[in-house]
Amino acid sequence: MDAERWRAVDALFERVLQLPAVERGAFLDKACADDADLRLQVERLLAADDRAETFLELSPLLQELGGAFVEDAPAGARFGHYRIERLLSRGGMGTVYLATRDDGQFERQVALKLLRPGVHDAEALQRFRAERQILARLEHPGIARLYDGGETSDGVPFLVMEYVEGLPLDVYCDRNRLGIDDRLRLFRRLLDAVAYAHQNLLVHRDLKPANILVTAQGEPKLLDFGIAKQLVQIREGELTQFRIMTPGYASPEQVRNQAITTASDVYALGVVLYELLCGRSPYRLKQDRPHELHDLETAILDQEPDRPSQALDRTGASLPTLEEIGAARRIRPRDLRRKLRGDLDTIVLTALRKEPPRRYGSAGALGADLNRYLKAMPVTARPDTTLYRAGKFVRRHRLGVALAATALMVIAVLFVSVVRQGRRAERERDKSREALAFLVDVFAHADPYQKGAENVSARELLETGAERVSKELAGDSDVQAALLDAIGQASVGLGQIEAAAPLLEKSLAERRRNPPSLELAESLDHVAWVRFLRSDYDGAEPLAREVVDLRRRLEGDDSPRLAFSLTRLGTIMAERHQSTVEEKSREIEGFLQEALAISRRLGDDAGIVGALFPLAKVRFDRGDMTGAEAVYRQVLDLNRRVYGDDHPETSQARRALALTLISQAKPEEAKTLLRQAMVSQKKTLPPDHPDIAATLNDLALAYTRSADYAAAEPLYREGLARELASHGQEDHADTATILYNLAGAIQNQERLEEAAELHEKALRMRTAVYGEKHLYVAQVLGALARLRSDQGRHAEALSLAARAVEIDRELLEPGHPEMIWPLRAMGIALLNAGRSAEAEPYLRESLETLRKTQAPGYFQTSRMEILLGTCLVRLGRVEEGKKLLAEGTAALEARFPADHPWVKEAREKVALAGNGSR
């Protein structure tokens, strides 16, 4: 079969797939009246489709039909860690294979999507790579996950996705004969996934049953974000609007090639829901040419759909009978018509309104109305008449209303309550529509297909939106608060913490004017976190505690959002009270363990990862490096499974594990992890994101622990520049950390005055952020003490070192690894001041702690042996001192070249001891 013939077969097959099975025969009678071979080929594809049990599994026949047109990857071919098993499907852009990961780490079956040969033009590559970026951002159980991605040696990109075994949504419902209410419950779970994508500023643009698979366990999975649209352009020129759609599920604005918003997905969901309920298409097409695209587009644009209860009466040779439709839903036809009439008719037609602002404001709003219907509550999509609401009340409370003596009293109370309820529902509906209309208007300015639109960055779009919200919505506090919160959260995601803070604070202030609500809980969570990110730990913790209490009252003790808030509270407290008394540490761990238990009960992998991360830090802060490393390795494995290799959360896990390895003197493995994190972050984050600055700092620290200070310094400086550009504030914890580390690298290169200036600045910052008594303050005091001692300013050095030791002894348990450095600083200051007897216990305790907590061969242990050996020689305990000097020098000689400053210094001390000098 040649390419042109294949395209004709493929195009007709796609159209037939959109029809219910009972309509397909009549359709093919007309479409293939003069071409029997064309019908034969399409019917063979349909038969293969019926046999398929997995994700678009049409491989044998497609391979036969398209063999002259498409080259397939053979079984056994490798793409990165993955081995091809067999072909699953072909689409317009990509070919999907069943593959297995078999690199020895773990085995997993996956769906590997490869850009099809022949579509490697710049536009296709751009869209395919955009799909990879889109999928990397989505972490929802109802969306097929992206595990991995890469490119072939020829530069062709591929995606590694979750392999979903299941049936298309409509097929699953019909084969399992799901009733109307069960179909609605299943559809509501799909809406959760769509709402999540919308919250991430993504519109799917191709929602249809074939892209919604339902597993054998009844779990819906949303597939194929290949043509999804980003409402905010993350990088200039990335993913403009393409007129690609499935006509039968396209919205009027898609047909007109106008701006696409979340309302476009709501329309497609309305079409899917219409078909699930009544087994008919919303469009009345001519029976003699139901496949004509022009007629379909005309119907989408101009034809008001019948109510689903009316569409049941539509007849035609290609349509299923009313009895067949009822049998698939386990309901008699007359009962089905009655079931659909009223609320369900209104809900579906609201989703299908031609004008986007008149539809449901979001997938969540559609889901909320379906939930109200299932609970026999008034839905917001229909007029809120008193008679209507009273009827709903009667249906919910049949027994009580049947009691005549009580009925009048109930109705009297009802009259007041339903009026209030109606007003509240009306306000919620108006608020949703106003917010959506406002967002659509803002986003239109970034749409390249709108006249006068400009190419703007995500940051510029958010800034414009925030400015307009503040000015134009000042009189509507609810809508203003909702939009300010959304824009603030998006700004946090882009790393614009300073821009986000005032927006989130203002949203919280507005929401505090109303009674306690889930919206208030969200604002409290967001403001607590942004304060934490700004190093305002004293301001963050009270809000984090408040939101936990509020969620317990509003949602109970088994809510995933409560687990999330408990994790944040534990994280904030772990940073604020990093090494305080054991009682506080137990409280922190209690919050995190509760969050972990909730997430495990709910089977929430993301929640489990979220709670494990700060639990590992608690172990780290206690000095349990081995325990911390084990948990961080578990976190990294889970992150890779839940989020994928390139996700920012996975990069954070690599960073945390690397820091634990650095603290155990394992810098080489740490460098590998940090380089991997850096590659992923540069793919997924804006250039000035603070996470990139933090990774640069950690990588420089790994070089510092390898004593390669010259290599570390430029990394610290780049990280510092990115940090300052990101935070834009002087007193920030992360900025102080990089300053402190940079000063250490410069100090070890003997540029003492330059290092002293940076240490003083870092000390001032950390004191401002953490207060006078904190581990991080003690760190800088100790480093500055060593520097002043090297400069001969002994009195100042002793004072600084004494303060560092005092803080750490108050905060830390004996033997904690953090005690190594203030003890060492005090020992050096006393030794250089000629007070060797007083120096010995400090140096000895530091050395003993190093030996207990660090891996054998750590160069700092060898340096401490030389320091203590020198001290003992000066005290006249020459043999004991010479033994330590020899051991330390031999270890340094084995690790560093002969001209290294530390090796030279060690040999000089050995020579002095051999000459009897002290």
Side-chain angles (χ1 to χ4, degrees):
M1 182 184 299
D2 62 23
E4 184 177 352
R5 183 63 169 175
W6 161 247
R7 280 193 287 271
V9 172
D10 193 33
L12 187 57
F13 171 64
E14 286 291 332
R15 290 186 184 179
V16 177
L17 278 180
Q18 296 170 30
L19 300 174
V22 294
E23 297 181 21
R24 293 172 179 173
F27 174 91
L28 289 173
D29 287 342
K30 300 182 185 303
C32 306
D34 300 323
D35 193 337
D37 181 65
L38 176 62
R39 177 169 184 152
L40 175 64
Q41 301 295 1
V42 173
E43 286 179 336
R44 294 176 69 193
L45 285 174
L46 291 170
D49 181 52
D50 288 339
R51 293 194 301 271
E53 297 180 354
T54 57
F55 172 37
L56 300 175
E57 186 177 19
L58 307 177
S59 55
L61 199 53
L62 279 170
Q63 187 168 6
E64 175 186 338
L65 292 173
F69 178 58
V70 178
E71 295 180 8
D72 291 329
R78 298 194 65 85
F79 295 88
H81 301 301
Y82 303 92
R83 184 186 71 250
I84 295 295
E85 300 288 342
R86 56 187 168 87
L87 179 69
L88 290 178
S89 72
R90 294 193 188 91
M93 279 182 57
T95 306
V96 182
Y97 299 91
L98 177 67
T100 301
R101 176 163 184 164
D102 62 352
D103 59 353
Q105 294 189 23
F106 56 87
E107 289 195 3
R108 170 193 286 145
Q109 280 199 320
V110 299
L112 189 146
K113 183 173 182 179
L114 183 68
L115 192 63
R116 280 178 62 171
V119 291
H120 294 177
D121 57 83
E123 181 181 71
L125 286 167
Q126 182 186 34
R127 285 176 49 220
F128 196 86
R129 288 172 177 141
E131 179 180 7
R132 184 165 64 194
Q133 296 301 318
I134 290 167
L135 286 170
R137 293 166 51 193
L138 300 179
E139 310 140 17
H140 190 280
I143 298 175
R145 292 171 179 160
L146 175 70
Y147 290 138
D148 202 351
E151 294 190 356
T152 67
S153 57
D154 298 329
V156 178
F158 63 86
L159 305 177
V160 181
M161 300 172 291
E162 179 181 0
Y163 174 55
V164 180
E165 290 191 90
L167 294 170
L169 178 64
D170 54 347
V171 177
Y172 177 89
C173 289
D174 286 351
R175 285 193 185 178
N176 289 279
R177 300 183 65 227
L178 294 190
I180 293 298
D181 286 0
D182 286 337
R183 289 174 185 240
L184 293 176
R185 293 186 185 98
L186 181 62
F187 189 75
R188 278 187 56 229
R189 285 152 70 190
L190 164 67
L191 292 176
D192 289 341
V194 177
Y196 172 83
H198 290 177
Q199 288 163 9
N200 283 268
L201 300 180
L202 293 171
V203 180
H204 189 284
R205 298 206 296 177
D206 196 26
L207 291 169
K208 57 186 177 183
N211 280 338
I212 305 157
L213 296 189
V214 185
T215 67
Q217 294 74 36
E219 297 297 329
K221 290 277 188 179
L222 182 56
L223 309 176
D224 199 355
F225 274 79
I227 65 168
K229 179 174 177 62
Q230 296 181 328
L231 289 174
V232 174
Q233 304 296 324
I234 291 182
R235 291 179 180 86
E236 185 176 346
E238 179 182 323
L239 194 63
T240 56
Q241 182 171 326
F242 296 91
R243 194 174 187 267
I244 301 175
M245 58 188 177
T246 301
Y249 299 87
S251 66
E253 58 269 25
Q254 282 178 287
V255 172
R256 293 191 182 100
N257 205 23
Q258 294 175 335
I260 305 300
T261 70
T262 55
S264 306
D265 277 355
V266 170
Y267 187 94
L269 290 166
V271 178
V272 173
L273 181 58
Y274 195 109
E275 294 175 346
L276 286 181
L277 295 179
C278 70
R280 301 277 195 251
S281 166
Y283 310 114
R284 301 181 301 277
L285 302 178
K286 295 179 180 179
Q287 290 297 303
D288 61 341
R289 50 179 191 180
H291 59 287
E292 285 292 335
L293 184 59
H294 174 74
D295 289 350
L296 178 58
E297 291 188 348
T298 300
I300 293 170
L301 295 175
D302 302 324
Q303 186 186 101
E304 289 298 331
D306 293 329
R307 294 195 298 272
S309 59
Q310 290 178 324
L312 291 170
D313 296 325
R314 206 183 299 154
T315 59
S318 63
L319 297 177
T321 66
L322 190 54
E323 288 70 25
E324 289 172 329
I325 293 172
R329 289 152 182 79
R330 290 189 296 180
I331 190 171
R332 291 181 301 180
R334 69 167 181 261
D335 293 334
L336 176 59
R337 183 179 290 104
R338 188 181 305 116
K339 180 88 170 174
L340 299 181
R341 187 181 299 132
D343 283 350
L344 289 179
D345 278 345
T346 306
I347 288 171
V348 173
L349 293 183
T350 301
L352 289 175
R353 284 173 176 157
K354 305 297 183 186
E355 306 87 353
R358 296 186 64 228
R359 297 174 205 150
Y360 283 101
S362 66
L366 172 57
D369 244 7
L370 291 176
N371 191 46
R372 292 185 189 98
Y373 169 82
L374 290 168
K375 292 182 177 180
M377 299 287 288
V379 302
T380 65
R382 65 172 293 160
D384 270 331
T385 65
T386 301
L387 181 62
Y388 164 69
R389 291 192 297 273
K392 281 293 182 182
F393 183 87
V394 170
R395 280 194 287 276
R396 293 202 307 275
H397 304 282
R398 293 178 187 275
L399 181 60
V401 177
L403 302 173
T406 313
L408 290 176
M409 184 185 302
V410 170
I411 293 172
V413 174
L414 169 67
F415 181 78
V416 176
S417 66
V418 295
V419 169
R420 289 178 178 171
Q421 184 180 20
R423 288 174 180 169
R424 185 163 54 249
E426 187 175 352
R427 285 197 302 273
E428 287 301 310
R429 182 170 65 250
D430 290 345
K431 183 172 75 172
S432 297
R433 288 175 178 169
E434 186 175 352
L436 178 64
F438 183 89
L439 284 174
V440 168
D441 186 49
V442 171
F443 287 132
H445 289 287
D447 189 334
Y449 283 82
Q450 295 297 302
K451 184 177 180 180
E454 299 176 355
N455 284 327
V456 296
S457 68
R459 187 177 310 160
E460 291 168 333
L461 193 60
L462 293 172
E463 288 172 356
T464 300
E467 183 179 353
R468 290 188 58 189
V469 167
S470 299
K471 291 179 180 179
E472 298 175 26
L473 298 177
D476 194 334
S477 61
D478 287 347
V479 177
Q480 186 183 63
L483 289 173
L484 287 174
D485 183 75
I487 294 171
Q489 278 295 95
S491 298
V492 170
L494 290 172
Q496 302 303 304
I497 309 303
E498 296 310 308
L503 304 178
L504 295 173
E505 294 277 2
K506 186 172 182 180
S507 176
L508 175 59
E510 292 295 337
R511 285 174 167 173
R512 281 199 185 277
R513 300 174 188 272
N514 299 321
S517 63
L518 291 177
E519 288 81 4
L520 175 60
E522 288 295 314
S523 275
L524 287 167
D525 238 336
H526 298 162
V527 174
W529 192 247
V530 84
R531 288 183 182 181
F532 170 77
L533 294 175
R534 299 179 78 208
S535 303
D536 180 10
Y537 306 124
D538 290 343
E541 185 180 334
L543 293 186
R545 287 182 179 275
E546 184 181 354
V547 73
V548 165
D549 293 341
L550 183 58
R551 288 204 189 282
R552 286 193 200 279
R553 294 203 310 272
L554 297 177
E555 301 180 83
D557 291 331
D558 242 9
S559 159
R561 286 183 292 232
L562 173 61
F564 177 80
S565 296
L566 284 164
T567 296
R568 284 201 159 173
L569 174 57
T571 302
I572 290 166
M573 291 180 67
E575 190 69 22
R576 185 187 184 199
H577 308 286
Q578 190 176 94
S579 302
T580 53
V581 292
E582 184 65 23
E583 180 181 353
K584 184 65 70 175
S585 181
R586 285 197 300 271
E587 184 185 16
I588 294 168
E589 192 161 3
F591 288 134
L592 297 172
Q593 290 289 1
E594 183 183 358
L596 185 61
I598 293 171
S599 298
R600 282 176 171 160
R601 284 197 299 273
L602 297 174
D604 181 3
D605 284 346
I608 292 169
V609 171
L612 282 173
F613 205 104
L615 274 171
K617 186 178 188 306
V618 169
R619 292 193 178 187
F620 183 96
D621 290 340
R622 285 178 178 169
D624 179 9
M625 298 301 166
T626 303
E629 180 185 342
V631 178
Y632 277 134
R633 288 192 185 279
Q634 184 182 358
V635 168
L636 178 55
D637 288 342
L638 281 170
N639 267 323
R640 294 176 69 184
R641 177 164 61 85
V642 173
Y643 299 118
D645 272 347
D646 281 340
H647 193 277
E649 291 289 349
T650 306
S651 298
Q652 291 289 73
R654 286 192 171 101
R655 282 190 55 223
L657 176 58
L659 285 173
T660 308
L661 295 170
I662 290 170
S663 297
Q664 297 176 81
K666 303 174 183 176
E668 296 310 313
E669 184 181 354
K671 289 176 188 175
T672 300
L673 287 166
L674 291 166
R675 291 188 190 105
Q676 290 171 347
M678 182 68 66
V679 169
S680 296
Q681 287 174 332
K682 287 184 176 179
K683 289 180 186 175
T684 58
L685 298 176
D688 59 351
H689 199 285
D691 286 358
I692 297 178
T695 304
L696 283 164
N697 172 75
D698 298 343
L699 183 57
L701 187 61
Y703 278 100
T704 296
R705 292 301 171 91
S706 301
D708 191 351
Y709 302 111
E713 183 180 344
L715 292 172
Y716 283 134
R717 291 193 182 279
E718 183 183 351
L720 180 61
R722 288 176 183 266
E723 194 71 50
L724 290 169
S726 171
H727 290 299
Q729 68 181 86
E730 186 70 9
D731 292 334
H732 193 280
D734 295 341
T735 306
T737 295
I738 300 182
L739 277 173
Y740 164 72
N741 290 333
L742 174 60
I746 291 172
Q747 182 176 344
N748 279 288
Q749 294 178 76
E750 306 299 326
R751 289 146 52 197
L752 300 186
E753 286 300 330
E754 184 181 355
E757 183 180 344
L758 294 174
H759 275 315
E760 293 280 7
K761 193 171 184 179
L763 179 61
R764 181 188 58 74
M765 283 189 187
R766 281 191 166 176
T767 303
V769 170
Y770 298 106
E772 295 284 347
K773 289 188 176 181
H774 196 279
L775 264 185
Y776 290 161
V777 173
Q779 276 184 347
V780 187
L781 288 169
L784 192 53
R786 294 195 303 275
L787 188 147
R788 295 305 187 203
S789 183
D790 290 343
Q791 291 177 316
R793 297 161 63 169
H794 301 305
E796 187 179 351
L798 287 168
S799 174
L800 291 165
R803 283 170 58 197
V805 172
E806 179 186 1
I807 292 170
D808 278 13
R809 288 215 190 276
E810 182 176 337
L811 298 178
L812 299 172
E813 299 293 325
H816 192 287
E818 278 298 322
M819 286 298 306
I820 293 166
W821 315 114
L823 291 169
R824 179 175 182 266
M826 189 67 181
I828 290 173
L830 288 166
L831 192 64
N832 289 348
R835 297 158 61 177
S836 300
E838 296 172 66
E840 182 195 351
Y842 290 104
L843 297 174
R844 191 174 292 280
E845 185 180 352
S846 180
L847 177 59
E848 288 172 357
T849 307
L850 270 165
R851 286 174 169 170
K852 288 177 183 176
T853 61
Q854 304 299 309
Y858 182 31
F859 69 87
Q860 292 289 12
T861 304
S862 304
R863 296 192 72 201
M864 274 304 306
E865 288 171 343
I866 291 166
L867 277 170
L868 180 56
T870 300
C871 181
L872 293 174
V873 169
R874 291 184 182 180
L875 290 171
R877 292 150 61 183
V878 177
E879 292 307 314
E880 184 183 359
K882 288 171 68 174
K883 181 174 181 296
L884 280 171
L885 283 166
E887 290 173 357
T889 302
L892 290 176
E893 287 175 333
R895 181 166 190 143
F896 299 107
D899 59 349
H900 194 282
W902 291 348
V903 174
K904 292 180 181 178
E905 180 187 30
R907 287 174 174 170
E908 289 172 2
K909 291 185 182 297
V910 169
L912 289 172
N915 295 331
S917 301
R918 298 184 184 181

